[in-house]
Amino acid sequence: TTSSRRSPRSRHPQSSSSRRSMAASASANPIATFDTTLGTFEAELFMDKMPITASNFADLANSGFYDGLHFHRVIDGFMLQFGCPHSADPKSNRAGTGGPPGGSSFETPTGETVKRDGGGNIPDELIDKTSNKPGTLSMANTGQPNSGGSQFFINTVHNDFLDWFGPGQSKHPVFGAVISGMDVVEKIGKTKTDRGDAPVTPVKMNSLKVK
């Protein structure tokens, strides 16, 4: 059903200013700015704790990969999912199946080069035990190891059953958290959706940049 709290999976084909200032001053981590058609919010990326996953996200964001895409799966009381290139067309039945170009690469803060596999996926980074609490950014995957690419989700409730270090089968590592504009996230989370969990009125990412 549309309200089912299923794992936020990417389906591959076969094969406030003050809060921001406080967060930024407490950490040298980069800040991502999400400019959507329903408003703007910001998130800290946990580059210090999740360098591969956060660097993958920052690389995609600053290359313009996410600009013009739409939230393709929204479930009230669960999460918002985003990041599939096929969602450039908000009505595409392929939304949720795409990822970054296979074989592309990016660098971590230490200068390590990480190459995405042929499907555009990165290695699972199961090292930090931050739970999937409200406002956290977490990697979507197919349920198989090393199957995360560009798709991620923002938790709107505490979805601890998605923690990679929990007893369940789902393994979704957290790599960031919203630091301002959570009201915008909640507004997106309340948008009316169709039977496939896609917003009836598309919610577009005008731009997503990391500094």
Side-chain angles (χ1 to χ4, degrees):
T1 65
T2 56
S3 61
S4 173
R5 285 156 55 94
R6 303 183 303 274
S7 178
R9 294 186 173 182
S10 52
R11 309 187 315 276
H12 289 284
Q14 290 294 17
S15 132
S16 74
S17 62
S18 61
R19 291 181 62 193
R20 174 185 172 176
S21 297
M22 290 174 63
S25 63
S27 171
N29 283 332
I31 303 299
T33 301
F34 302 72
D35 175 13
T36 82
T37 50
L38 286 182
T40 300
F41 61 95
E42 296 174 314
E44 176 189 356
L45 302 183
F46 299 156
M47 195 69 75
D48 54 344
K49 299 185 289 188
M50 298 287 286
I52 294 176
T53 311
S55 294
N56 171 68
F57 176 90
D59 173 71
L60 293 171
N62 289 337
S63 72
F65 182 92
Y66 292 124
D67 299 352
L69 303 186
H70 297 80
F71 286 87
H72 67 270
R73 185 168 175 240
V74 174
I75 301 178
D76 187 16
F78 185 21
M79 57 91 225
L80 328 174
Q81 191 167 344
F82 178 82
C84 176
H86 300 309
S87 71
D89 173 3
K91 301 303 181 183
S92 173
N93 59 14
R94 298 178 67 197
T97 68
S104 53
S105 61
F106 58 92
E107 286 192 359
T108 68
T110 62
E112 175 190 4
T113 297
V114 179
K115 187 175 182 180
R116 301 180 180 99
D117 70 14
N121 303 314
I122 64 171
D124 289 335
E125 196 171 25
L126 308 180
I127 55 176
D128 177 62
K129 293 184 177 181
T130 297
S131 188
N132 281 268
K133 295 180 179 181
T136 53
L137 279 61
S138 191
M139 286 296 289
N141 56 49
T142 66
Q144 298 299 312
N146 306 311
S147 61
S150 59
Q151 294 186 49
F152 64 96
F153 59 97
I154 304 171
N155 292 289
T156 54
V157 297
H158 191 183
N159 294 311
D160 56 353
F161 72 100
L162 299 177
D163 295 341
W164 67 267
F165 50 88
Q169 294 184 342
S170 295
K171 298 186 183 299
H172 297 279
V174 168
F175 65 94
V178 174
I179 58 171
S180 71
M182 190 63 191
D183 58 320
V184 175
V185 173
E186 292 170 348
K187 185 190 302 183
I188 298 171
K190 295 290 185 182
T191 192
K192 183 179 179 181
T193 56
D194 62 23
R195 295 181 64 183
D197 299 325
V200 172
T201 300
V203 182
K204 182 179 179 180
M205 188 69 66
N206 298 318
S207 70
L208 203 178
K209 292 294 180 283
V210 175
K211 292 184 179 180

